[in-house]
Amino acid sequence: MKAIRIKEFGGPEAMSYEDIDAPSYEASDVLVKMEASGVNYIDTYQRTGLYPVELPYTLGLEGAGIVEQVGEQVTQFSIGDRVAFCGIPGSYAEYAKIPEDRLVPLPDEVTAKEGAALMLQGMTVHYLTQSTYPLKQGDRCLIHAAAGGVGLLLIQIAKLMGAYVIGTVSTEEKAALAKEAGADDIILYTQADFEKEVAQLTDGKGVNVVYDSVGKTTFEQSINCLSPLGYMVLFGNASGPVTEFNPADLAQKGSLFLTRPSLFHYIADQESLRKRSQQVFQWVKEKNLKVRLEHLFSLADVQEAHRSLEGRKTTGKVLLIH
Ligand code: NDP
């Protein structure tokens, strides 16, 4: 089968489009014929070695497709079922081998593209807004990279929860998309000082929570945007990792909370995986959540997909279509 592999860490050129053997599946595994594979920022961290993986490595942590084969102990899925998954490596390929308990059924109302787009980023939005800092009516929140894959989904759910949402983006085009998704106010953080703008927009009160996936270039100022007892939710490193921080600042700046969460701990058991994915699909069915699917690439064009994502050229979800 065709697959995208890395044999050493590096830039997009480190990824090669290769013929490899289809994965051999165990008794409790399901072999999925991929229809769409999600491209996520974490794939770039694995590719560069920021998050080390064992090499050679087949990239891709998310996808949707059709059950092709089932192991003899599999009871919850049958050949032909529509399914989706995330968190298991190897989705940049024609087939993926997924343990039965890490797979979820795709409802009829959710397409394979939507499924592949929602598993990782949709469930991230679910845990960020429902568990890490459960948003409530009237909360004020700041969302960086608001027109990105996670960003556009996060705005919609923050609005659904009744929060006032400020989004940051780098261009006017992205500002328009974040507005369309429901953001109340937008800051072009590449042109304006977002810390000052947030203070102005909130009459000096600050926000209750910052969802910061940009990291290095925003972290320090994000902390300064918080109200006392506010939550700094640092969940990504699109501009590079945050490496220096003095915990005493949290006290001095208002007894703040700092967390650095990862989706995979919030879906560690099958029950949370099922519950979170079902809720995300329910939001789609109720039309409370829409996915922007503009950036679609073939598997062979994966290098271009990564370059676009890292070059800040994409909005919404990036997918590889089989
Ligand atoms: P995005 O579509 O959001 O793309 C990244 C965006 O970050 C860019 O479009 C850009 O938006 C912004 N950005 C700011 N500075 C930079 C920079 N120096 N280089 C590149 N981009 C920059 O990606 P995803 O939706 O896939 O992921 C968003 C973030 O969420 C990532 O950091 C990812 O790691 C994190 N994440 C974390 C999870 C967790 O559980 N911890 C789970 C899922 C995602 P703009 O041009 O508007 O600034």
Side-chain angles (χ1 to χ4, degrees):
M1 66 170 187
K2 297 288 187 199
I4 303 299
R5 293 218 296 177
I6 48 168
K7 298 193 189 80
E8 53 189 37
F9 299 119
E13 67 289 345
M15 296 184 288
S16 55
Y17 177 62
E18 292 179 15
D19 276 307
I20 61 170
D21 292 338
S24 53
Y25 55 95
E26 313 285 320
S28 57
D29 289 335
V30 173
L31 188 69
V32 178
K33 183 166 187 347
M34 302 300 301
E35 290 185 278
S37 309
V39 176
N40 292 286
Y41 227 92
I42 191 172
D43 305 340
T44 71
Y45 306 147
Q46 292 190 331
R47 194 204 68 221
T48 59
L50 178 67
Y51 294 177
V53 291
E54 208 173 298
L55 301 175
Y57 181 76
T58 306
L59 280 159
L61 289 168
E62 177 185 42
I66 307 276
V67 173
E68 174 91 0
Q69 292 293 340
V70 291
E72 60 210 25
Q73 284 168 18
V74 170
T75 57
Q76 299 168 45
F77 297 96
S78 311
I79 293 172
D81 285 354
R82 301 177 62 243
V83 291
F85 64 90
C86 78
I88 307 294
S91 74
Y92 287 11
E94 285 180 276
Y95 294 91
K97 173 193 85 163
I98 309 297
E100 175 178 31
D101 63 355
R102 302 315 292 167
L103 204 58
V104 303
L106 261 189
D108 291 344
E109 299 86 346
V110 179
T111 66
K113 285 179 190 147
E114 288 170 331
L118 282 164
M119 287 300 285
L120 202 144
Q121 296 176 346
M123 285 198 292
T124 295
V125 164
H126 188 275
Y127 86 76
L128 290 174
T129 59
Q130 314 297 307
S131 305
T132 307
Y133 179 85
L135 276 173
K136 24 180 220 315
Q137 186 77 31
D139 273 342
R140 299 176 301 276
C141 75
L142 174 63
I143 297 173
H144 289 308
V150 174
L152 286 177
L153 303 177
L154 192 47
I155 293 172
Q156 296 173 67
I157 299 307
K159 287 310 296 173
L160 186 65
M161 296 298 123
Y164 160 67
V165 176
I166 305 172
T168 64
V169 294
S170 64
T171 66
E172 295 286 357
E173 186 217 349
K174 289 184 177 186
L177 290 174
K179 267 269 179 199
E180 200 184 304
D184 297 284
D185 284 295
I186 301 291
I187 302 168
L188 288 168
Y189 59 174
T190 39
Q191 295 170 27
D193 179 333
F194 75 83
E195 185 185 329
K196 277 195 197 142
E197 299 270 326
V198 168
Q200 220 163 47
L201 289 167
T202 60
D203 296 326
K205 292 200 287 281
V207 293
N208 304 96
V209 56
V210 181
Y211 294 112
D212 187 340
S213 65
V214 173
K216 191 172 175 174
T217 57
T218 48
F219 179 77
E220 221 175 291
Q221 283 192 295
S222 293
I223 292 227
N224 294 336
C225 293
L226 286 165
S227 310
L229 307 187
Y231 274 68
M232 176 64 199
V233 181
L234 174 67
F235 71 101
N237 337 280
S239 68
V242 174
T243 49
E244 277 177 37
F245 175 69
N246 177 2
D249 288 352
L250 296 174
Q252 197 244 322
K253 294 186 177 186
S255 296
L256 306 176
F257 296 85
L258 166 65
T259 179
R260 176 60 179 88
S262 162
L263 167 67
F264 304 116
H265 300 117
Y266 285 86
I267 54 166
D269 55 275
Q270 191 183 20
E271 195 193 335
S272 17
L273 172 71
R274 286 284 171 107
K275 240 170 82 181
R276 290 193 195 279
S277 57
Q278 276 165 12
Q279 178 62 70
V280 170
F281 295 147
Q282 191 58 32
W283 282 331
V284 174
K285 287 189 213 170
E286 290 164 355
K287 307 212 183 309
N288 285 318
L289 190 61
K290 270 195 239 145
V291 197
R292 184 175 168 81
L293 297 171
E294 189 203 345
H295 300 275
L296 311 182
F297 297 85
S298 69
L299 192 59
D301 287 334
V302 69
Q303 293 191 1
E304 200 189 328
H306 274 218
R307 282 195 189 96
S308 302
L309 181 63
E310 292 173 290
R312 304 168 84 158
K313 292 192 175 70
T314 62
T315 51
K317 186 68 190 179
V318 183
L319 288 179
L320 303 175
I321 304 299
H322 299 271

